[in-house]
Amino acid sequence: MSLFPPRTFVDRAIYHDGQTAAARRIQVEVMPLEKLLVLHLDDGAKLTWPLDEVRQVPDLAGKDQLVLRRAGTGTERIIVANATDIGLIRATAPNLGRKDPVPQKGRILRWASAAVGAVALIIFVLVPVMADQLARFLPPEGEKALGDATLLQIRRALDETGFSELPICDSRKGTYALRQIERRLAANADLPIDLTVHVLDHPMVNAFALPGGHIVLFRGLIDEAETPEEVAAVFAHEMGHVEARDPTRIALRSAGSIGVLGLLFGDFAGGALVLFLTERLIQADYTREAEAAADAYAHSLLLAADLPPHGIATFFERLQDSYGDEPAILQHFLSHPEMGDRIAAARAATPAFFEGRQLLTETEWQALRAICDRY
Amino acid sequence: MTEGQGPWAAGKKLDTSTHRSPWPHAAGADPSPRVTPQDDARPRFSVPPASGQLATGFAGRRGRLFGLAFRTSLLTILTLGIYRFWMKTRLRRWYWSAVRPGGTPLEYTGTPIEKLLGFLMAVVIMAFYIGVVNLILMFVSFAVLADNYAAYLTSFLGVIPLWFYASYRSRRYVLARTRWRGIRFGLEPGAWGYTWRAILHWMVTILSLGLLWPRMTFALEKYKIDRTSFGSVRLHQGGKWTMLYRIALLPILSGLTMVGIGVWILYLDPIGPMVPDPFSDVRQLGPRNPERIWLLVLAGMVGCVGIVRYIVQSKAIMANHKTAGGVGLIAAPRTGRVLWIYSMGYFLTYLCMVLLMIPLLMLLGFYQLGFEPDFGEGPVSAIPEWVLIVAGLILYFSIFLTWSVLRHPLVTLPLWRHYAETLTITGEAELAQIRQRDRDEFSEAEGFAEALDVGAAI
Ligand SMILES: [Zn+2]
């Protein structure tokens, strides 16, 4: 005895032949043994669909209907609108939910690699080359505006409440002390642009340079430094980046890349992406050559200003001893394998029996350390 | 409510055609429709249609749509956005199949793969445009104007033509992948023609201070409709642009009133305290008649309602003047209902977002308070940085998820349902004459629209 009666009629079905917009009431005969679906049209004609070729149209909103099609790209449709009949079809058609095979796999792969290639070419070759060229022609006022915009973006990204900007520390005495360091170094440098120095009220041990002569120190860095000379050493290194216009290139690059990556990942990841790229800007992923040049610049500048170049070496060694490689600034300075060499180079740049001139008085140094205290 | 009753309303009801909807319960041909408990989403009709007319039903349930939207959005996040082509396709299939003119559901036959392919094609071109052009614009605006707003503005203006172009192409793709009664819709190529017309009409509308807005609405719709086909039949947009003034008057007049009040309370009889004139005896005593500001608010509110009414009813009026051979439409959406759906829907969506955010923000705030001293003391904080990053990401994505998921059951579905249930198709007898049309391959699919985020509704 068979599980199903050999012939079952599904009465309430509508047939669309895919050739005209007419809707025809039909009887559908389900023949499970012969594995056939026979459609009896109103004009007496008969059509036969193999049961294993019957598919349902997916993601239908109304569960009171079942829309059937034949495997492949045909336009014929049968609409069954009765719970019993739907149950019968579901029980007898074995491949109802199967999907048609994807026809253009090779084509998708080709276009996917073309898209990845194009984006890689643009982000890693075209945009950097153009940014480097354009950075040279950007006039100082333009660079300044670019830096102002970037600084604002960074302050917004780092603010923990998410609603305002990270405050700038500017106690009167602290700012005066900071100006002492800036003057001492700038007097011996020949920068193409005036410096703008800010301390941001953030615990991260970090410092970075932005386009237009912006140098930004975080409160965490000043807290960790034991002498003003250590701050000056970091300061001089960032001046090296300003002199070489490294931040301008990075900012122009990220302007080109943000849009392209946003395009790739769609709208939803766009916000996360901007945060990520801001992070990249702070970490300032310069090339090895750029870092070496900034180091060399800093060494000669510090010597010219009667300050010890090894300040940076003692500072980093102490940080490394207490925290490992975690602080952001160590990432900035330690990202290359020859970091040991760089510490050694800083020591070597300091002549034997080096007698520096005092940078800040003890009072000024304490004022600098309290630059973020409002009261 | 006489609004939205086109010329077809009276004429076609007299149609003596004996054709009925194929569905017994749709046209009432079967006196005793079988009702089973499983029939949970039977078509609902607000008005029993006259003979030769097909009412449109809507068969979707909020709960199911929520489930579909939630699953697909989550997958989109987990696959870094790649699943969004599947998400969009599946949601479209769902919405299309929920709409049932004459009991027969629409069918969306677009595939995720062709959308992915079209997107990849667009990326090759757009990545170049966005990367290089943005960089140059940014450079020029900083170099020449020392400001980046100019770059945003030029970049934005540069994208406008592409936006119109993409929206037409996207419409062409969607129509080519839409079927009803097994017959394909189609839209002729003509994206550039649409683009320059749209730009000109927008400029004319802006220059005429909005007075020629109805002309733009009508002309752009006519351009699209006159190029649209259902099977072998070409659609036609009848009527004239002046017929839209009946509903355009309210928003235009309230806009002009607002300008008038603005001039009055800012220049003619300023509301604010004037700079005291030391040589004058007259003393300023604070703002004068500040209650006049309420006139501005009132005119603004009337204007907003007027704009929604214009958007809803201009669609209806134009729908009532659309024909496809002997087939016509009667659309009667209600402005009040649409306003209600929008305001309640968005209110509930935001409410859910806020309720979800509170515990997450409290958790983050708790961490901050509890461990703040460690932050101050040194760079190694008590919470590893990754915990904060993960918490931030969860926060960001749950906002995204809530928004993109709740919008569907709370706003989009009720809107579709309302527009569907107030739509009637006339001249059913003519449908049998309509033949199939060839498939429009259109391999670019919606690539550009996808890249530019055009038509973000579904
Ligand atoms: Zn560096």
Side-chain angles (χ1 to χ4, degrees):
Chain A
M1 217 180 109
S2 110
L3 190 62
F4 305 103
R7 289 162 179 242
T8 317
F9 285 93
V10 168
D11 223 356
R12 303 178 160 230
I14 295 295
Y15 175 65
H16 296 294
D17 61 9
Q19 296 307 314
T20 71
R24 304 163 80 172
R25 295 189 69 167
I26 54 163
Q27 280 195 319
V28 180
E29 194 179 349
V30 185
M31 301 168 74
L33 292 180
E34 293 86 343
K35 295 193 167 47
L36 287 178
L37 209 64
V38 181
L39 322 181
H40 297 273
L41 303 191
D42 41 7
D43 57 2
K46 276 207 298 192
L47 291 169
T48 319
W49 286 18
L51 260 179
D52 58 353
E53 281 185 20
V54 176
R55 304 279 185 273
Q56 66 169 328
V57 170
D59 293 322
L60 225 55
K63 298 298 173 198
D64 58 330
Q65 289 187 351
L66 186 65
V67 181
L68 302 176
R69 62 180 183 91
R70 268 181 87 162
T73 53
T75 48
E76 292 165 275
R77 293 290 183 269
I78 302 171
I79 306 177
V80 182
N82 170 276
T84 325
D85 299 344
I86 291 173
L88 178 68
I89 302 271
R90 284 197 191 284
T92 47
N95 302 323
L96 207 55
R98 186 178 289 181
K99 288 169 187 149
D100 289 333
V102 176
Q104 318 160 298
K105 275 187 187 139
R107 202 147 166 251
I108 294 163
L109 276 179
R110 275 198 302 281
W111 275 103
S113 21
V116 169
V119 169
L121 187 74
I122 288 158
I123 289 186
F124 295 115
V125 182
L126 205 55
V127 166
V129 166
M130 281 179 65
D132 291 357
Q133 292 301 316
L134 291 176
R136 285 202 270 158
F137 297 107
L138 196 61
E141 311 84 63
E143 223 175 322
K144 191 94 186 153
L146 179 59
D148 291 342
T150 325
L151 178 63
L152 195 65
Q153 214 178 340
I154 288 175
R155 287 173 58 201
R156 279 197 190 128
L158 287 175
D159 182 63
E160 277 148 11
T161 61
F163 297 112
S164 63
E165 295 107 37
L166 197 66
I168 288 178
C169 299
D170 53 358
S171 82
R172 200 174 52 79
K173 286 179 178 167
T175 309
Y176 176 79
L178 192 61
R179 285 286 292 169
Q180 295 299 307
I181 301 181
E182 181 191 335
R183 276 207 203 109
R184 178 84 163 265
L185 290 170
N188 296 284
D190 185 21
L191 288 180
I193 194 162
D194 289 339
L195 288 180
T196 313
V197 187
H198 291 304
V199 176
L200 290 186
D201 193 356
H202 195 278
M204 201 192 292
V205 185
N206 203 357
F208 55 86
L210 289 178
H214 283 282
I215 289 181
V216 178
L217 308 170
F218 283 4
R219 169 170 55 81
L221 180 114
I222 296 176
D223 288 348
E224 282 302 315
E226 276 181 0
T227 63
E229 283 73 17
E230 291 179 352
V231 175
V234 173
F235 200 110
H237 174 89
E238 299 306 334
M239 281 173 74
H241 286 308
V242 169
E243 148 85 9
R245 293 186 136 182
D246 294 329
T248 309
R249 282 197 284 273
I250 293 265
L252 283 177
R253 276 182 203 188
S254 66
S257 311
I258 284 182
V260 177
L261 292 176
L263 174 75
L264 263 193
F265 289 100
D267 207 25
F268 88 94
L273 211 71
V274 171
L275 287 181
F276 170 74
L277 280 162
T278 310
E279 169 88 3
R280 301 287 298 172
L281 208 64
I282 296 171
Q283 300 296 349
D285 194 12
Y286 301 128
T287 61
R288 188 177 300 193
E289 291 76 27
E291 290 301 345
D295 277 349
Y297 180 90
H299 296 162
S300 57
L301 177 61
L302 287 166
L303 282 178
D306 288 332
L307 292 167
H310 69 256
I312 208 148
T314 54
F315 184 39
F316 291 151
E317 279 172 346
R318 199 174 60 250
L319 279 178
Q320 227 174 347
D321 287 347
S322 359
Y323 305 115
D325 283 353
E326 206 159 312
I329 196 148
L330 291 185
Q331 307 289 342
H332 176 158
F333 283 86
L334 295 178
S335 52
H336 305 300
E338 66 277 25
M339 176 57 204
D341 299 350
R342 291 175 66 191
I343 291 187
R347 288 204 193 288
T350 315
F353 311 112
F354 178 81
E355 276 293 325
R357 230 170 352 114
Q358 190 186 33
L359 181 55
L360 296 182
T361 66
E362 185 56 28
T363 327
E364 287 169 336
W365 172 232
Q366 290 312 326
L368 179 58
R369 291 179 67 97
I371 191 168
C372 291
D373 298 348
R374 296 283 143 70
Y375 308 105
Chain B
M1 174 79 62
T2 52
E3 248 166 10
Q5 293 287 335
W8 290 111
K12 283 289 170 173
K13 270 177 189 151
L14 300 173
D15 194 332
T16 51
S17 154
T18 52
H19 285 260
R20 294 284 164 106
S21 155
W23 296 110
H25 46 253
D30 187 342
S32 57
R34 245 194 299 181
V35 180
T36 54
Q38 291 94 327
D39 276 8
D40 57 357
R42 302 178 61 240
R44 297 190 293 166
F45 302 111
S46 42
V47 191
S51 74
Q53 294 192 350
L54 298 177
T56 306
F58 190 88
R61 289 286 182 86
R62 285 171 203 253
R64 290 221 182 86
L65 179 60
F66 175 81
L68 182 66
F70 184 77
R71 284 196 308 276
T72 51
S73 298
L74 200 62
L75 278 170
T76 298
I77 290 174
L78 294 177
T79 56
L80 297 176
I82 292 171
Y83 195 80
R84 70 180 185 274
F85 306 104
W86 278 260
M87 171 175 81
K88 227 173 185 177
T89 305
R90 298 191 62 184
L91 283 170
R92 274 192 191 157
R93 279 187 201 142
W94 196 95
Y95 276 107
W96 264 236
S97 72
V99 178
R100 295 175 173 178
T104 310
L106 297 179
E107 186 181 337
Y108 178 71
T109 58
T111 66
I113 293 292
E114 68 185 0
K115 277 177 78 66
L116 173 65
L117 200 60
F119 172 71
L120 291 174
M121 289 174 171
V123 160
V124 175
I125 298 160
M126 292 295 294
F128 180 81
Y129 178 83
I130 290 184
V132 172
V133 175
N134 267 7
L135 183 57
I136 291 175
L137 283 175
M138 175 133 167
F139 171 79
V140 168
S141 77
F142 275 115
V144 179
L145 303 159
D147 176 46
N148 63 341
Y149 292 107
Y152 292 142
L153 190 68
T154 38
S155 187
F156 174 70
L157 290 178
V159 164
I160 287 180
L162 277 176
W163 196 90
F164 286 122
Y165 178 81
S167 72
Y168 189 90
R169 304 274 288 187
S170 157
R171 192 186 174 93
R172 183 176 151 202
Y173 168 74
V174 169
L175 280 172
R177 299 293 178 269
T178 299
R179 290 186 207 166
W180 181 56
R181 293 179 159 220
I183 300 296
R184 297 184 183 101
F185 285 84
L187 182 64
E188 261 184 41
W192 285 120
Y194 181 74
T195 306
W196 68 257
R197 278 179 181 84
I199 292 170
L200 277 184
H201 275 295
W202 267 106
M203 278 160 56
V204 168
T205 302
I206 291 167
L207 288 179
S208 71
L209 302 174
L211 284 173
L212 291 177
W213 187 18
R215 188 165 169 266
M216 172 175 74
T217 315
F218 182 79
L220 294 183
E221 181 72 3
K222 187 170 171 59
Y223 184 88
K224 290 182 284 193
I225 290 303
D226 287 355
R227 282 161 184 76
T228 304
S229 303
F230 175 55
S232 52
V233 183
R234 180 65 69 94
L235 269 62
H236 172 69
Q237 176 68 61
K240 283 196 303 201
W241 61 278
T242 44
M243 69 188 176
L244 299 179
Y245 269 106
R246 188 161 55 81
I247 49 169
L249 228 50
L250 183 63
I252 290 175
L253 285 182
S254 30
L256 293 176
T257 312
M258 280 176 78
V259 173
I261 297 173
V263 170
W264 180 37
I265 65 178
L266 287 178
Y267 294 102
L268 299 181
D269 187 9
I271 206 162
M274 289 172 176
V275 179
D277 182 357
F279 303 104
S280 158
D281 296 336
V282 184
R283 285 169 58 207
Q284 275 299 143
L285 294 168
R288 285 191 306 177
N289 302 336
E291 66 279 358
R292 287 177 300 168
I293 204 102
W294 291 107
L295 287 176
L296 201 63
V297 174
L298 185 71
M301 276 161 60
V302 172
C304 284
V305 172
I307 285 175
V308 175
R309 176 165 170 267
Y310 178 78
I311 290 170
V312 174
Q313 297 305 332
S314 65
K315 278 197 190 100
I317 292 176
M318 285 189 293
N320 293 332
H321 287 81
K322 287 182 175 89
T323 48
V327 181
L329 296 173
I330 304 171
R334 294 185 298 277
T335 309
R337 179 81 193 139
V338 172
L339 269 171
W340 168 255
I341 290 171
Y342 270 121
S343 38
M344 273 318 282
Y346 282 120
F347 171 73
L348 287 175
T349 309
Y350 284 119
L351 190 70
C352 290
M353 277 168 79
V354 169
L355 290 179
L356 188 81
M357 288 313 106
I358 287 172
L360 276 166
L361 284 175
M362 272 170 60
L363 203 68
L364 275 180
F366 173 73
Y367 263 124
Q368 291 288 334
L369 288 176
F371 295 100
E372 184 68 278
D374 287 321
F375 269 121
E377 274 165 33
V380 182
S381 60
I383 336 168
E385 202 182 348
W386 66 265
V387 172
L388 284 178
I389 290 174
V390 167
L393 280 179
I394 290 175
L395 187 73
Y396 179 79
F397 284 123
S398 40
I399 294 177
F400 167 78
L401 198 67
T402 319
W403 171 248
S404 76
V405 171
L406 287 181
R407 204 164 44 89
H408 285 288
L410 294 179
V411 182
T412 318
L413 181 140
L415 271 184
W416 275 60
R417 182 161 58 202
H418 181 66
Y419 279 118
E421 287 178 348
T422 51
L423 183 73
T424 308
I425 294 170
T426 63
E428 193 224 348
E430 309 289 330
L431 286 172
Q433 316 301 320
I434 297 176
R435 317 249 132 222
Q436 184 63 288
R437 58 183 282 112
D438 290 337
R439 183 180 150 84
D440 181 355
E441 274 306 327
F442 206 57
S443 57
E444 164 214 309
E446 283 178 291
F448 280 99
E450 196 78 51
L452 290 169
D453 207 18
V454 173
I458 305 172

